[in-house]
Amino acid sequence: MEVQIISKETVKPSSSTPQHLRTYNLSLLDQLAPPVYIPIILFYSATGEISCKKSHLLKTSFSETLTHFYPFAGRMKDCFSIDCNDEGAPYVEAHVAGDMSTILQEPDIHQLEKLLPCNPHDVSPEVSSQVIVAAQVNYFDCGGMAVSVCIWHAIADASAVASFLTSWAAIARGATDEIEGVIFDCTSLFPPQDMRSFSLHNFLKEDLLSKIMLKRFLFDSSKLADLREEVGNGPCLERPTRVEAVAALIWGAVMAADGEENQNETAEINAATISVGLRKRMIPPLPKLSIGNAYQVAMANFSKKEKQLNYNGLAGKLHESIGKMNNDYVRKIHAGGGYFQFLRTKGEELGKNPNLMKVFGFSSWCRFPFYEADFGWGKPNWVGTALTLYKVAILIDTKDGQGIEAWVSLPKEDMVKFEQNPGICAYASFKLST
């Protein structure tokens, strides 16, 4: 597949941002976000619309969307704020020589990366020049198209990325009345902290990422229903959600692969973290379309003293950790900077004893309305991503909303073992590594 850039320009908001709104303050949850872009690609079938007409509509509506999401058109000021200076966002148009169906049938990370406006790991050497959002519209020979965005994680979680895309699509359709509550200040809930000499992002180091393989594992609605029945067969959890069932299976398979590879280096604790959205859990609820990071990381632990590893037990641990994330609990742990101090202390403990804990992370993007992004020529046929992290699984809905696509990042030697896991082979469809 060959991708040729047709044009590249900087698109600015259709209206200038008022002076009193020129600074957007980051919360602690924004500060803790990994220094990466969140990449999303929406694929659309061929329609009778002329490409140049689509091009004009997408570009003008993108500019209007930046007016509503005005911090996205600014630049990072420092670790506490964004300068909403209307500098604009890179906007790329490209021609793709190849059939879109080949990508949809067998998504390949290297092909998907070509459809993005930037590398998700592009970090500017100067904070003040860090672009917040970039977009690329790809036109295929077959008449299909792929719209992709990369949005800097410090100002947007996956829910906010979905809000941006569905708002862009709504503006393209002329439905601007659907957009409200985009800008919401979370700093009173999650006060920012001095982040100097603090980092939890070892999974982003280049020496680790070079050894990582990212693959898609498809759990269709039928297989996922069977998996939920098996995972729910036990005393710990009777009816797991789709996410809990898939996460339990993957967590167990990862532990098995890691244990087989490193039999003499078993950690005291194997932990699974999972991002839990807070917009609906807080009282009062946070605005549905609000930008920023509004999720809390829940953690479930499996100690090596627990001899029996089964899916029902793992799902029960995940369910319990997720269930804690209510309004009272979140407010309590963040009171007086307590959560940040906890993270700092835990980081220091792990630094002194790396074998104390091994962590695998889950980021669930399920139930986010990516498949609702209709620019006027129908909803996406498929939604994909291309974000490689260290020992992380990103979970995304299938188009019917009943299945899950898991994008799993693992060291290459662990991925081979992971693919051979009986549970993964039984419930997931995937292409074997060569």
Side-chain angles (χ1 to χ4, degrees):
M1 182 183 76
E2 182 180 348
V3 179
Q4 181 181 4
I5 302 300
I6 302 171
S7 65
K8 185 173 183 178
E9 60 184 293
T10 298
V11 173
K12 298 188 176 186
S14 57
S15 300
S16 298
T17 301
Q19 197 63 40
H20 69 283
L21 298 177
R22 287 286 175 133
T23 297
Y24 176 84
N25 295 315
L26 301 176
S27 73
L28 173 63
L29 298 185
D30 296 325
Q31 293 178 307
L32 293 172
V36 296
Y37 287 97
I38 296 181
I40 284 290
I41 312 173
L42 312 178
F43 290 83
Y44 296 87
S45 296
T47 65
E49 295 278 351
I50 302 173
S51 293
C52 62
K53 182 178 178 181
K54 287 183 179 179
S55 173
H56 177 73
L57 175 64
L58 285 169
K59 193 182 303 182
T60 55
S61 56
F62 182 71
S63 175
E64 292 176 39
T65 308
L66 289 177
T67 297
H68 292 274
F69 290 75
Y70 57 85
F72 287 11
R75 296 293 183 267
M76 294 293 294
K77 187 174 183 180
D78 50 38
C79 66
F80 293 98
S81 62
I82 290 173
D83 183 4
C84 306
N85 56 15
D86 293 343
E87 199 164 321
Y91 186 89
V92 181
E93 291 185 304
H95 171 258
V96 184
D99 194 337
M100 190 173 75
S101 63
T102 59
I103 298 179
L104 302 186
Q105 290 167 6
E106 291 289 348
D108 176 81
I109 180 64
H110 301 296
Q111 290 186 335
L112 294 176
E113 287 173 339
K114 296 178 182 179
L115 304 177
L116 296 175
C118 66
N119 184 323
H121 293 277
D122 276 350
V123 179
S124 174
E126 297 293 333
V127 173
S128 60
S129 61
Q130 187 70 55
V131 170
I132 304 297
V133 62
Q136 181 165 318
V137 180
N138 304 276
Y139 299 96
F140 287 81
D141 284 337
C142 62
M145 64 187 302
V147 177
S148 69
V149 295
C150 287
I151 302 182
W152 192 239
H153 204 337
I155 191 172
D157 55 16
S159 176
V161 174
S163 295
F164 180 81
L165 284 166
T166 53
S167 297
W168 182 8
I171 289 173
R173 297 194 315 270
T176 55
D177 57 328
E178 300 177 12
I179 304 169
E180 57 183 20
V182 170
I183 309 301
F184 183 79
D185 189 344
C186 283
T187 56
S188 60
L189 287 173
F190 315 112
Q193 302 288 331
D194 185 349
M195 303 295 288
R196 286 176 295 186
S197 72
F198 175 80
S199 175
L200 291 175
H201 303 135
N202 288 333
F203 54 85
L204 295 170
K205 291 182 178 179
E206 289 186 9
D207 60 331
L208 293 176
L209 291 178
S210 64
K211 303 174 184 177
I212 295 301
M213 178 180 290
L214 174 64
K215 291 193 63 174
R216 182 191 73 147
F217 294 82
L218 172 62
F219 299 84
D220 64 31
S221 57
S222 176
K223 290 289 183 69
L224 187 44
D226 293 340
L227 175 61
R228 292 178 70 185
E229 185 174 343
E230 179 181 344
V231 173
N233 184 21
C236 299
L237 185 62
E238 182 177 349
R239 186 62 178 165
T241 65
R242 294 179 307 135
V243 169
E244 289 167 348
V246 170
L249 173 61
I250 292 175
W251 185 18
V254 167
M255 281 194 282
D258 185 70
E260 187 175 343
E261 189 69 26
N262 304 290
Q263 295 182 12
N264 298 322
E265 300 178 14
T266 306
E268 291 291 328
I269 297 172
N270 279 282
T273 63
I274 186 164
S275 56
V276 180
L278 299 179
R279 287 174 176 82
K280 294 181 180 179
R281 291 173 180 256
M282 301 306 293
I283 301 175
L286 307 183
K288 182 176 69 171
L289 296 182
S290 59
I291 63 173
N293 290 274
Y295 68 91
Q296 184 71 48
V297 174
M299 178 178 287
N301 296 326
F302 182 87
S303 170
K304 71 177 184 180
K305 295 178 182 178
E306 301 176 66
K307 307 229 175 184
Q308 189 169 9
L309 190 160
N310 64 77
Y311 298 145
N312 182 257
L314 296 180
K317 290 175 180 291
L318 290 165
H319 180 82
E320 182 181 4
S321 67
I322 294 170
K324 289 180 180 178
M325 297 301 159
N326 58 33
N327 176 75
D328 292 341
Y329 179 82
V330 171
R331 290 180 183 273
K332 181 179 178 180
I333 63 173
H334 281 276
Y339 181 63
F340 178 69
Q341 293 306 319
F342 165 78
L343 292 178
R344 183 183 288 278
T345 302
K346 185 61 67 176
E348 291 172 353
E349 290 177 2
L350 293 176
K352 294 175 182 177
N353 185 5
N355 292 326
L356 178 64
M357 179 183 292
K358 288 187 177 180
V359 180
F360 187 86
F362 291 95
S363 183
S364 175
W365 301 358
C366 295
R367 299 302 185 203
F368 296 157
F370 294 114
Y371 280 100
E372 298 302 312
D374 179 0
F375 289 89
W377 46 80
K379 297 178 180 180
N381 276 353
W382 183 63
V383 175
T385 187
L387 180 58
T388 302
L389 298 169
Y390 181 68
K391 292 190 175 182
V392 170
I394 296 172
L395 310 181
I396 305 179
D397 286 323
T398 52
K399 186 178 181 180
D400 62 7
Q402 302 302 311
I404 286 179
E405 296 187 14
W407 291 85
V408 180
S409 297
L410 282 173
K412 295 173 184 176
E413 62 273 14
D414 286 356
M415 183 65 81
V416 174
K417 306 282 187 185
F418 181 83
E419 292 175 354
Q420 297 170 354
N421 182 275
I424 297 298
C425 292
Y427 294 107
S429 301
F430 59 95
K431 184 178 179 180
L432 282 168
S433 301
T434 55

